[in-house]
Each structure stands twice: as C-alpha cells, then as structure tokens.
Amino acid sequence: MGAIGYGLGVIGAGIGIGLAAYGATSAIARQPEMQSRLFTVFILGSAFVEALALIGFVVTLIA
C-alpha cells in the first residue's frame, strides 16, 4: 500500500519539475538577460520538489 502512495508522490514531483522547467524555459526565451536569475530560482524550486519526494519516500519506509 505504501508503494502506491510513494508512486503517486513521485508522479507529483515529476509533474512539478516539468512545469517548472517549462516556465523557466519560456521565461528565458522571452528575456535572455534574466537567465542567471531564472536558473537560480529554477534550481531552488527543483530542490524543494525533490525534497518533498524524498520525504514521501522516507514516510513510506517508516509506515
């Protein structure tokens, strides 16, 4: 049962990172001079999404 919950959590993380990458790519395409700032925000956002996925994995192992 826990594997199903973790699988759903990973799907959510994948969708989140995909949407963030799409947003960063289109923003960089519109304003190339903001690339360094947008990349930094994208990396931070991706790290938070991955952290949530790892927390879901740990909760799955504990429960």
Side-chain angles (χ1 to χ4, degrees), residues 5-25:
Y6 177 65
L8 292 174
V10 171
I11 289 172
I15 291 171
I17 292 176
L19 288 173
Y22 170 74
T25 303

Side-chain angles (χ1 to χ4, degrees), residues 7-63:
L8 292 174
V10 171
I11 289 172
I15 291 171
I17 292 176
L19 288 173
Y22 170 74
T25 303
S26 47
I28 290 171
R30 290 182 192 143
Q31 293 184 339
E33 66 274 4
M34 296 294 291
Q35 179 179 2
S36 62
R37 178 175 272 174
L38 289 169
F39 184 72
T40 303
V41 171
F42 169 70
I43 292 297
L44 283 172
S46 296
F48 290 140
V49 171
E50 285 297 321
L52 289 174
L54 289 174
I55 289 171
F57 178 66
V58 170
V59 169
T60 302
L61 290 177
I62 291 174

